[in-house]
Amino acid sequence: MERHSSKWYNVQSVPQSYTFPPEERPGETPIIQICHKIPVIDLEKSLVSSSEKMETIKQLLQAGQEFGFFQVINHGIPEDVMSQTILTFNEFFDMADEQITNVPARKGWIYTGSEQEVKDGVHLWRDNIKHPCHPLEKCMQSWPDKPASYREVVGRYVAEIRKLSLTILELISEGLGIESGYFDEQSQVQLLSANRYPPCPDPSLTLGIPKHFDPSLITIITQGNVSGLQVMVDGKWVCIGAVPNAFVVNIGNQLEIISNGMLRSVEHRAVTNSREARTSIALFVNPTPNCIVEPTKVLLNESNPPLYKFILYKDFINASKAFGIHTDAIQKEA
Ligand code: OGA
Ligand code: NI
């Protein structure tokens, strides 16, 4: 109890060091303005018949083209896997401060309490943990071991998301005309980044994650029952509604390149709210470091010349560091 009252976010007003400059703040306009246009796609339908599958593929491509974001439902991942994973992260974040002080030599995971995390001189309104997830069995050994269920629960979640990511990438490749199995090899690296955004006394001043693009192929996010993920749509920031048991999926920079700009990687950010804590879990599905990322040949012709040069994924990451890449999505070098 006592510990709780000493948490960094237990304040009456937002400290100066957490206040973003006016041009970056969410401001006074309704922060949680839900965009109902961002599609919610039923994946089960794609299993029914080949015409339903073509319809699902069409919806995925359209959403990727128009918004760079969509949600998926009936994805086959059991509800309890999702809810238990959120619960486990909530427990983790409740005890994280003690974990950090008690486990000096952490290997394979990075916890950042808000006090330690500063972007352009301003603290983010979140606590965060990141770690690699592939190959799963090997990575798991170095994940947190508290709460006691962490490795088992998060391991099951990651295995399920891996399958889901391949399903989604396979449907997208079929739509683009890329050969089946293309992404099985290319998307071997997954990184998990879980966030807890505590309630904030003035959400108009703070950000959980400032605006960014994901340098992934795709990112798969659970946001539980609390919305706060904002996407740029027609020049305005709008929220993605919290749909029960849905996953939010977004197109990352690498899939934008592979699709020669047909699928868009769109800027997004995480805002806070004053009522309740929000927990989100992002799984970044990335190419392997030496993977060559380039517009797929099948899409190119005289009227559709390549808009991007080929690049090794690791060179993309290194080059982007100079421009402030979203570091949640990339593996820290050893
Ligand atoms: C991210 C991200 C959004 C969220 O982790 O890259 O955009 O809602 N997260 O936490
Ligand atoms: Ni992101």
Side-chain angles (χ1 to χ4, degrees), residues 69 126 193 195 197 209 212 214 219 221-223 228-230 250 268-270 278 280-282 284 326 328-329:
F69 272 81
R126 71 160 185 185
S193 167
N195 306 289
Y197 310 99
I209 309 181
H212 65 278
D214 287 358
T219 308
I221 302 167
T222 314
Q223 59 173 344
L229 169 55
Q230 288 189 333
N250 65 292
H268 55 284
R269 66 184 188 183
R278 172 169 184 265
S280 72
I281 308 161
F284 299 102
H326 182 44
D328 289 359

Side-chain angles (χ1 to χ4, degrees), residues 51-91:
S51 64
E52 293 281 5
K53 186 175 166 191
M54 290 320 289
E55 180 54 35
T56 306
I57 290 174
K58 206 171 114 200
Q59 290 174 359
L60 290 170
L61 293 188
Q62 248 174 21
Q65 216 164 351
E66 221 181 314
F67 302 103
F69 272 81
F70 50 87
Q71 304 208 54
V72 293
I73 53 167
N74 292 327
H75 39 63
I77 301 186
E79 272 173 41
D80 72 300
V81 171
M82 300 177 73
S83 56
Q84 288 220 9
T85 309
I86 295 254
L87 280 175
T88 299
F89 277 109
N90 284 343
E91 270 181 65

Side-chain angles (χ1 to χ4, degrees), residues 196-229:
R196 179 158 59 185
Y197 310 99
C200 170
D202 188 347
S204 73
L205 303 175
T206 57
L207 285 168
I209 309 181
K211 66 175 181 183
H212 65 278
F213 298 94
D214 287 358
S216 56
L217 280 163
I218 56 169
T219 308
I220 301 192
I221 302 167
T222 314
Q223 59 173 344
N225 298 319
V226 189
S227 44
L229 169 55

